[in-house]
């Protein structure tokens, strides 16, 4: 009885050191809450602010912390099974009727079995880091895309507003000439149609601006009213860039991690051709006699020598290798396509800026000179000015498209062209628990 009391007391001490569970429910208002931007946000680095406030980045950091904790737990020794035994029999020995005993099952944790468990945890950490990198990149892309869209929409809106004013002025001038019998009605209708088209362009630009404000607010995890006065995006830096860092893309790293995991599973399947060993030492007090039993348990492999599992693991490794190859080729093709589209958009913008816009400006200047010299009327001047404004509108639209194509190329490479921004993103990834 004394031994039983001591055993119960020691068990109570062990249980008192265990962690306890505390529920932590999340309320729906807490999940949907957004906070306004801090004072002076317009003067701060919006990228750092976006990374700090991004819910996706916060979730990825928590996922990485969980994977790191799981990796630490994977290195712990497997659970030991403890069996307590007792028996009462007066017939065996009336003076000592009690039998007490205990036995522990100690699985031998070594070789490929332990390696597979630890490798799986390491792979999970690798994938969590890749997911964090993807979340950081997505936060960056959301911010930059919103800024570029907002800048382009505002520029198009200004150009479209000026064009609409000029179109309406021409329409009014032609209407006066029709009233005076100097112009046919068809000319006014054509001008009216052109004014409606300019109005459509302005309306579309205003809608794009509002959508960009919503996108910018989402990138900064706030409401649209808080971002209306934020500064526009700076002119993006362009360039072809080096694709050597393409292999650091999160999807490629995830494919590499999957291949590593398949390698580990194959090693485990090969190791499981051989028996697993569990050692079971014990202690027995049998009516005054102390016994120390020692059992050895073998977990035998399947009758086929684990061949089916080995074949399955080999097929899984082959599939993981093919998936990695497909991912790399797909990413390389995406980069090539994005680069071609960016070069085309940049070339169009450059052509309009260096050829079309100067030519339209020269034509407007000649029309103004001819009007001053009495060689043409004000209608011809207005038409030349409208042509110059239409060229300017085409230029800002082409510049916005080139900026979007440049962002798409950065997205395909997952590397910004700005080295300082690349360092900021790298710092955001290293600022985690190792």
């Amino acid at each position: 009885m004394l031994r039983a009391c001591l055993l119960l007391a020691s068990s109570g001490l062990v249980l008192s050191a265990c962690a306890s569970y505390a529920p932590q429910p999340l309320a729906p208002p807490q999940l949907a809450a957004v906070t306004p931007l801090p004072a002076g946000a317009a003067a701060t680095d919006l990228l750092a602010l976006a990374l700090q406030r991004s819910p996706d980045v916060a979730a990825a950091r928590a996922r990485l912390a969980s994977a790191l904790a799981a990796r630490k737990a994977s290195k712990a020794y497997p659970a030991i099974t403890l069996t307590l035994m007792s028996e009462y029999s007066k017939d065996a020995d009336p003076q000592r009727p009690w039998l007490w005993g205990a036995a522990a099952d100690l699985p031998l944790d070594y070789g490929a079995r332990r390696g597979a468990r630890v490798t799986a945890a390491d792979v999970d950490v690798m994938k969590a880091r890749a997911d964090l990198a993807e979340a950081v990149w997505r936060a960056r892309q959301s911010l930059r895309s919103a800024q570029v869209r907002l800048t382009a929409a505002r520029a198009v809106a200004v150009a479209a507003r000026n064009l609409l004013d000029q179109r309406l002025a021409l329409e009014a001038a032609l209407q006066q000439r029709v009233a005076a019998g100097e112009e046919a009605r068809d000319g006014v209708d054509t001008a009216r149609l052109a004014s409606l088209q300019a109005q459509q362009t302005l309306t579309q630009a205003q809608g794009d601006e509002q959508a960009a404000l919503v996108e910018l607010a989402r990138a900064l995890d706030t409401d649209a009213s808080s971002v209306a006065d934020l500064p526009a995006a700076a002119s993006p830096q362009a360039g072809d860039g080096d694709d050597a860092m393409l292999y650091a893309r999160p999807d490629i790293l995830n494919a590499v991690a999957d291949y590593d995991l398949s390698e580990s599973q194959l090693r485990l399947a090969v190791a499981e051709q051989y028996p697993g060993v569990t050692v079971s030492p014990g202690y027995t007090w049998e009516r005054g006699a102390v016994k120390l039993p020692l059992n050895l348990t073998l977990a035998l492999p399947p009758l086929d020598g684990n061949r089916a599992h080995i074949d399955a693991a080999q097929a899984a490794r082959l599939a993981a290798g093919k998936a990695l190859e497909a991912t790399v080729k797909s990413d390389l093709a995406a980069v090539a396509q994005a680069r071609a589209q960016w070069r085309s958009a940049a070339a169009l913008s450059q052509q309009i800026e260096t050829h079309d816009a100067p030519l339209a400006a020269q034509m407007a200047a000649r029309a103004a000179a001819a009007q001053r010299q009495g060689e043409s009327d004000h209608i011809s001047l207005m038409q030349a000015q409208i042509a110059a404004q239409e060229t300017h509108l085409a230029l800002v639209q082409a510049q916005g498209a080139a900026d979007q194509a440049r962002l798409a190329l950065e997205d395909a490479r997952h590397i910004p062209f700005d080295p300082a921004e690349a360092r900021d993103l790298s710092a955001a990834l290293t600022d985690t628990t190792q």
Side-chain angles (χ1 to χ4, degrees):
M1 295 298 295
L2 179 59
R3 290 187 177 89
C5 292
L6 291 175
L7 181 59
L8 291 175
S10 62
S11 300
L13 290 175
V14 171
L15 292 176
S16 66
C18 294
S20 60
Y21 164 74
Q24 191 175 358
L26 296 176
Q30 178 183 356
L31 299 176
V34 294
T35 56
L37 293 180
T44 62
D45 183 5
L46 293 184
L47 177 58
L49 193 61
L51 295 179
Q52 178 185 355
R53 296 168 62 92
S54 170
D56 294 335
V57 173
R61 289 190 189 279
R63 162 83 173 85
L64 175 58
S66 175
L68 290 170
R71 182 175 67 178
K72 182 179 180 180
S74 71
K75 299 177 181 180
Y77 195 84
I80 299 174
T81 302
L82 178 64
T83 303
L84 303 179
M85 299 171 291
S86 66
E87 179 182 298
Y88 178 84
S89 176
K90 262 194 170 184
D91 294 337
D93 188 343
Q95 301 300 324
R96 296 183 178 90
W98 286 99
L99 177 149
W100 304 98
D105 292 336
L106 308 176
L108 298 187
D109 189 38
Y110 65 94
R113 288 177 172 81
R114 184 177 191 277
R117 186 177 71 250
V118 175
T119 299
D122 289 338
V123 168
D124 195 39
V125 170
M126 184 187 302
K127 293 172 75 71
R129 292 191 186 280
D131 292 342
L132 175 59
E134 181 67 16
V136 167
W137 180 256
R138 286 290 125 222
R140 182 263 180 190
Q141 278 297 102
S142 296
L143 175 66
R144 296 309 185 209
S145 176
Q147 288 181 303
V148 167
R149 286 186 59 189
L150 182 60
T151 300
R154 286 174 173 174
V156 170
V158 171
R161 167 59 66 185
N162 293 335
L163 178 61
L164 177 60
D165 292 342
Q166 292 176 340
R167 284 289 185 187
L168 291 175
L170 176 61
E171 181 183 348
L174 291 176
Q175 185 67 42
Q176 292 177 356
R177 296 186 65 172
V178 169
E182 300 175 356
E183 185 76 26
R185 184 68 192 177
D186 292 344
V188 176
D189 293 339
T190 300
R192 179 59 180 164
L193 182 60
S195 298
L196 292 175
Q197 292 174 345
Q199 179 64 59
Q200 292 173 4
T201 302
L202 175 60
T203 302
Q204 181 65 46
Q206 291 171 339
D208 291 343
E209 180 180 359
Q210 294 303 313
L213 285 173
V214 173
E215 182 181 354
L216 182 58
R218 182 184 182 280
L220 294 172
D221 192 32
T222 187
D223 54 274
S225 60
S226 300
V227 300
D229 297 329
L230 290 180
S235 299
Q237 299 294 325
D240 278 355
D242 183 10
D243 294 338
M245 292 297 293
L246 177 66
Y247 292 92
R249 275 183 55 119
D251 55 346
I252 294 181
L253 293 180
N254 272 318
V256 171
D258 290 337
Y259 187 81
D260 288 345
L261 183 59
S262 67
E263 279 275 358
S264 176
Q265 294 300 318
L266 177 57
R267 288 195 299 270
L268 176 61
V270 171
E272 287 179 343
Q273 296 178 104
Y274 309 99
V277 181
T278 299
V279 178
S280 303
Y283 171 86
T284 303
W285 185 83
E286 186 176 358
R287 301 171 181 89
V290 175
K291 299 179 180 181
L292 299 176
L294 178 63
N295 297 323
L296 187 66
T297 303
L298 300 179
L300 299 179
L303 295 178
D304 66 345
N306 212 39
R307 175 51 57 186
H309 289 86
I310 293 175
D311 292 342
Q314 288 176 335
R317 183 179 65 173
L318 178 61
K322 293 298 183 181
L324 174 58
E325 180 182 352
T327 301
V328 171
K329 289 183 177 180
S330 176
D331 288 346
L332 289 173
V335 170
Q337 181 179 6
R339 180 174 285 115
Q341 292 175 345
W342 168 72
R343 286 175 176 171
S344 176
L348 177 60
S349 175
Q350 184 70 18
Q351 177 183 345
I352 296 176
E353 183 177 10
T354 58
H355 296 90
D356 299 7
L359 179 59
Q362 293 173 5
M363 293 174 61
R366 287 197 299 267
Q371 196 268 341
R372 287 193 301 269
Q373 295 173 3
E375 298 177 359
S376 64
D377 56 11
H378 66 286
I379 297 295
S380 298
L381 175 60
M382 295 175 69
Q383 290 174 336
Q385 292 173 339
I386 287 175
Q389 186 61 31
E390 287 177 334
T391 305
H392 176 68
L393 175 60
L395 174 60
V396 296
Q397 289 174 330
Q399 289 174 339
D403 290 344
Q404 290 285 353
R406 192 265 315 173
L407 271 178
L409 176 56
E410 286 182 319
D411 192 28
R413 299 173 64 244
H414 269 53
I415 306 169
F417 287 121
D418 186 357
E421 191 174 31
R423 289 191 295 270
D424 292 340
L425 294 179
S426 178
L429 294 178
T430 56
D431 186 18
T432 57
T433 303
Q434 298 299 318

